[in-house]
Amino acid sequence: MIDYSTSKSILESKNFYLSKKTTKGLTKFNHTFKNKNIIVELDWELGGFVKGVNLIVNNSKENVFDVDNFFLYELENITNNFFYMN
């Protein structure tokens, strides 16, 4: 299981910034790529482990089922695809 500090570091390395902490254990990171607003919403528990992730692209919300895979591989693909779009 990936923890909050690792996921935060990965997001910040891809130029996401902490945009909102809505409640204890729910944090949002925001970035805009080519006029597309991307929000990664982390749901984490007291020990710091991330138990859920939602990906919101231009108000379209999708639940991420494999959290570790998302941070290790999918986030890179998502940011590259948006970054290099014309």
Side-chain angles (χ1 to χ4, degrees):
M1 277 184 93
I2 197 162
D3 63 23
Y4 176 78
S5 61
T6 302
S7 58
K8 181 177 185 283
S9 296
I10 292 169
L11 287 163
E12 288 174 344
S13 74
K14 305 205 176 307
N15 298 318
F16 281 79
Y17 65 91
L18 184 61
S19 63
K20 190 176 186 181
K21 188 168 184 177
T22 54
T23 60
K24 188 174 185 178
L26 182 64
T27 311
K28 293 182 181 182
F29 291 83
N30 189 54
H31 199 326
T32 302
F33 292 96
K34 300 284 186 182
N35 297 323
K36 295 200 183 289
N37 189 32
I38 301 174
I39 297 172
V40 176
E41 193 175 69
L42 299 181
D43 184 13
W44 49 282
E45 54 193 22
L46 189 57
F49 292 104
V50 176
K51 61 182 180 179
V53 174
N54 289 312
L55 177 65
I56 306 164
V57 179
N58 289 341
N59 297 322
S60 178
K61 190 173 190 176
E62 180 181 334
N63 188 14
V64 174
F65 293 103
D66 188 344
V67 174
D68 291 345
N69 187 56
F70 174 76
F71 283 103
L72 296 175
Y73 305 106
E74 292 178 24
L75 184 62
E76 181 76 23
N77 292 333
I78 290 164
T79 54
N80 283 340
N81 287 338
F82 280 113
F83 186 74
Y84 293 112
M85 285 176 67
N86 292 330

